[in-house]
Amino acid sequence: MTESLTTARPAQRGELLTLEIESLAYGGRGVARRDGYVIFVAGGLPGDRLRAEVTKAKRSFAEARSVELLKPSPDRVPERCLHDGEPCPGAPWQGLDYERQLEAKQQQVGEALRRIGALEGYELEPIEPAAERWRYRNKLEYTFGETDGELALGFHARGRWDLIVSVEDCLLASEAGNRARDEVREWAAAAALDAYDRRSGTGALRNLVVREGRRTGELQTRLVTAAAQIPRPPVDLHTVIEGPSGSTEGPTGVLGSERLAEELSGLRLEISHSAFFQTNTEMAERLYRLAGEYAGLSGSERVFDLYCGIGTL
């Protein structure tokens, strides 16, 4: 890798660039510009001056990952959810003051309505802030891998598809959800099972999906493996996928509880493993309440609930 001088030419994969982050893009990456050339930087926040390694380069833009923070943004706050020093990929903005997070999201919504929706003259109301900033997710998907010769179960390192960082305590998950993940990891290690390698097609373990009923306290665990002989896992569901697919959906057998019970806004629900359900139960309730208030229904209308997952609305 070589240090790059500021020029108008497109970046090259592997280059190291010194950049100033100007804003945030949808999805959480920082936006930097080099003579009009846009670079999306994983791990960059507005106001940061940093060094970044280019991971993907195209004619009009590039993608990069932060490798050294030279001067932090004045809006930076200490990151809390770290895994072996790596920021949790599910909380890419955690290093940014929460009020600044809300401002950035408000700006992104407005830009989308104007640029994509071609809307003008509307009133954009303030964002509804989070009920809980930590331990709020009712579903997390983990990936098996190998780190330093040992089985790892966690998340992809930032900007890497080939490196898995083991997770000990994810602050997006409940303590019960963390324990369920650890139990499966301990079982896999005791059984001397290997992680699936997409390049060689060897190994058995692919993913672990943990879902939780926030109101009921129920947990649903689903192990995703290659087509290999393994001992009976301590999970509710077992999905087998053949070939190099990166998906977690496939033929699934029931080993424990098939459906997850949950309560939402006074309704008792049963959720199958493949059903869509809002990952933040508390905020889903607020979202549905606001939707009901804006709809102003009298009770005599015929309403269609379309593209709705399991039909919670």
Side-chain angles (χ1 to χ4, degrees):
M1 293 182 289
T2 59
E3 180 72 20
S4 171
L5 299 177
T6 302
T7 67
R9 66 174 176 78
Q12 301 295 315
R13 188 173 184 274
E15 274 191 292
L16 284 176
L17 307 174
T18 299
L19 301 169
E20 302 273 356
I21 305 299
E22 301 175 2
S23 60
L24 285 169
Y26 178 78
R29 292 176 297 178
V31 179
R33 287 178 172 81
R34 190 180 66 170
D35 291 343
Y37 184 75
V38 177
I39 304 168
F40 298 101
V41 184
L45 297 176
D48 282 346
R49 179 176 173 81
L50 49 75
R51 282 163 59 85
E53 179 187 356
V54 177
T55 56
K56 182 185 294 186
K58 295 184 180 261
R59 183 179 297 275
S60 58
F61 72 93
E63 297 177 9
R65 64 185 185 94
S66 173
V67 295
E68 182 182 2
L69 186 60
L70 302 175
K71 182 180 179 182
S73 164
D75 293 319
R76 269 196 175 268
V77 296
E79 295 176 316
R80 292 181 54 189
C81 193
L82 300 170
H83 309 302
D84 196 22
E86 284 276 341
C88 181
W93 291 9
Q94 64 174 301
L96 185 64
D97 176 77
Y98 186 65
E99 294 304 317
R100 287 283 289 112
Q101 292 184 34
L102 295 181
E103 291 173 9
K105 292 177 181 180
Q106 184 96 356
Q107 181 181 7
Q108 289 181 1
V109 172
E111 288 177 352
L113 291 173
R114 289 188 297 271
R115 188 179 67 254
I116 302 174
L119 298 177
E120 295 293 344
Y122 57 84
E123 179 185 354
L124 185 58
E125 295 190 6
I127 289 177
E128 185 83 7
E132 299 289 341
R133 300 183 193 177
W134 300 106
R135 301 206 186 281
Y136 62 85
R137 287 190 65 96
N138 58 40
K139 178 184 178 182
L140 281 103
E141 182 176 308
Y142 303 98
T143 301
F144 286 94
E146 184 178 299
T147 303
D148 297 329
E150 295 186 0
L151 182 69
L153 177 58
F155 301 126
H156 288 271
R158 188 168 59 197
R160 298 281 298 273
W161 66 269
D162 57 339
L163 178 62
I164 302 300
V165 178
S166 256
V167 172
E168 298 300 327
D169 180 19
C170 181
L171 296 182
L172 301 183
S174 69
E175 294 178 349
N178 277 312
R179 288 194 297 270
R181 179 205 59 239
D182 292 345
E183 180 183 353
V184 174
R185 178 166 49 201
E186 291 167 5
W187 161 82
L193 297 174
D194 294 328
Y196 178 75
D197 188 326
R198 291 170 60 185
R199 290 166 295 194
S200 65
T202 59
L205 303 175
R206 289 177 177 260
N207 303 92
L208 175 69
V209 183
V210 180
R211 299 184 86 163
E212 179 180 6
R214 300 279 293 185
R215 301 286 186 259
T216 63
E218 289 190 9
L219 287 171
Q220 181 190 77
T221 49
R222 180 166 64 94
L223 182 68
V224 183
T225 72
Q229 292 293 323
I230 64 171
R232 182 185 175 94
V235 295
D236 297 302
L237 302 163
H238 180 200
T239 298
V240 177
I241 297 177
E242 297 188 26
S245 169
S247 171
T248 61
E249 297 300 324
T252 300
V254 179
L255 304 176
S257 177
E258 182 176 6
R259 295 179 183 272
L260 177 71
E262 180 59 302
E263 295 176 1
L264 188 73
S265 300
L267 296 177
R268 180 81 173 185
L269 308 169
E270 289 189 351
I271 307 171
S272 69
H273 78 272
S274 59
F276 170 78
F277 188 76
Q278 293 284 349
T279 55
N280 189 326
T281 306
E282 290 78 5
M283 292 306 291
E285 288 182 326
R286 291 193 183 188
L287 174 68
Y288 297 162
R289 186 191 73 242
L290 288 171
E293 292 175 0
Y294 284 128
L297 301 176
S298 66
S300 61
E301 297 88 352
R302 176 174 292 179
V303 178
F304 293 89
D305 194 1
L306 306 177
Y307 306 101
C308 57
I310 64 173
T312 48
L313 282 172

